[in-house]
Amino acid sequence: MADQSIILVVYGAIGAALFFDFVNGFHDAANSIATIVGTRVLRPIQAVGIAAAANFSGPFIFGTAVAATVGKGIIMPEFSTVDVIIAGLLGATAWDLITWWFGLPSSSSHALIGGLVGSALFAGGLQAIVAPGVEKTLTFMVVSPAMGFAVAGGFALAMMYFLRKKVPGRVNRVFGRLQIVSSAFFSLTHGANDGQKTMGIITALLIAGGLMHSKEFVVPLWVIISAASAIALGTFFGGWRIVKTMAFRLTNLKPYQGFCAETGGGAILTSMAWLGIPVSTTHAISGAIMGVGATKRFSAVRWGLGKRIIYAWVITIPASAAIAAACMWAIKALTG
């Protein structure tokens, strides 16, 4: 049985995990609502309300396979201590807040994984890392935006062909309604993918602190509800700096393009959630928005801004890892 001091530390760490989850939703609100706000189908407050409800529901519909991957597939179980996890969370949260301040849609998923890797490396070196899990994450860092670009762009081209003789005003009205559905669908998949990562972290904390004993990595119901609530609240209070970047600065979208971007991005996230692969919702929707924006003409996408976004993607894992390693050093210095 864990002693009282360990219990307090574990619950403090769970609080830090839920705060990260809130920041994740706050930071990634743009993923869920950017296209529907950019096409002016809904007002921002309406969009975030729908997105928050869908984010909460996602994990209950798509299961918790991603949670298991994050909880036991990034760092070795013997190095998955409370201190390592806390330092990883601090690194990820700090990087999310830094990129939010500059309005850059970086990946909260990769910030979390980078944070865990950085603190685990400091604690135990390379032997602390589950190499296949990290390699899978790095692979899909490239694959998910490329898939988003190709799937959503191809979908938009097909729509342009079938709608070429239709009256533009009628097309906008019909797809304005359909976009509400596609936006909710993407938010569901966002909650299923991003919300699960914190569930995995909290479950790992419970095991590391001796508060839960399980031969299999099973996420308790209260953890699912807590994490889903935190990311939903974060989405509702939305990080408008990033929403403006994604909704208005990257490209200008029509309702049918927003529908294609959300549906294409959501399809990718659905398949990854079922497979338990922790991909970045930011990468998927950013690639999808660029893909549909480029279908009319290549210059419709502001590629200069796109390059800045990609630079943020590239440095997210090493930057959050470095911050987490520094936090791990501070924790060790304070605890002796």
Side-chain angles (χ1 to χ4, degrees), residues 270-290:
T270 298
S271 60
M272 296 300 104
W274 285 122
L275 294 171
I277 299 173
V279 299
S280 166
T281 57
T282 304
H283 290 196
I285 195 63
S286 297
I289 289 172
M290 292 183 204

Side-chain angles (χ1 to χ4, degrees), residues 228-252:
S229 299
I231 198 169
L233 282 170
T235 301
F236 185 78
F237 288 103
W240 298 112
R241 289 173 184 267
I242 298 176
V243 171
K244 289 176 183 176
T245 298
M246 297 279 279
F248 302 112
R249 294 175 59 199
L250 191 55
T251 190
N252 296 315

Side-chain angles (χ1 to χ4, degrees), residues 135-287:
E135 288 169 5
K136 185 188 294 184
T137 299
L138 293 174
T139 298
F140 278 89
M141 185 170 73
V142 177
V143 170
S144 62
M147 288 176 64
F149 189 98
V151 172
F155 193 20
L157 286 172
M159 285 291 180
M160 290 171 68
Y161 176 78
F162 287 111
L163 299 172
R164 66 191 186 279
K165 296 181 180 178
K166 303 296 182 181
V167 177
R170 179 174 172 77
V171 170
N172 287 338
R173 285 194 298 274
V174 170
F175 277 93
R177 298 188 189 97
L178 290 174
Q179 205 186 344
I180 297 172
V181 177
S182 64
S183 179
F185 169 61
F186 186 84
S187 296
L188 274 173
T189 61
H190 176 262
N193 209 287
D194 276 37
Q196 283 193 57
K197 289 154 192 162
T198 301
M199 296 172 199
I201 292 299
I202 294 175
T203 305
L205 280 167
L206 292 170
I207 294 171
L211 301 180
M212 181 175 134
H213 301 280
S214 176
K215 292 182 180 179
E216 297 181 3
F217 196 92
V218 179
V219 182
L221 179 61
W222 73 265
V223 173
I224 297 174
I225 294 172
S226 299
S229 299
I231 198 169
L233 282 170
T235 301
F236 185 78
F237 288 103
W240 298 112
R241 289 173 184 267
I242 298 176
V243 171
K244 289 176 183 176
T245 298
M246 297 279 279
F248 302 112
R249 294 175 59 199
L250 191 55
T251 190
N252 296 315
L253 298 178
K254 300 293 185 185
Y256 82 89
Q257 292 175 306
F259 173 81
C260 292
E262 290 159 349
T263 304
I268 293 165
L269 295 180
T270 298
S271 60
M272 296 300 104
W274 285 122
L275 294 171
I277 299 173
V279 299
S280 166
T281 57
T282 304
H283 290 196
I285 195 63
S286 297

Side-chain angles (χ1 to χ4, degrees), residues 18-88:
L18 291 174
F19 178 68
F20 167 77
D21 207 24
F22 176 86
V23 173
N24 187 347
F26 182 83
H27 185 278
D28 289 3
N31 297 343
S32 300
I33 70 169
T35 53
I36 202 164
V37 171
T39 56
R40 294 177 171 81
V41 169
L42 291 179
R43 294 194 302 274
I45 190 64
Q46 296 171 317
V48 293
I50 293 171
N55 264 298
F56 179 84
S57 304
F60 297 97
I61 295 172
F62 293 99
T64 57
V66 172
T69 299
V70 173
K72 63 180 183 178
I74 303 299
I75 55 179
M76 298 297 289
E78 59 268 31
F79 291 96
S80 187
T81 64
V82 175
D83 288 350
V84 166
I85 295 172
I86 289 174

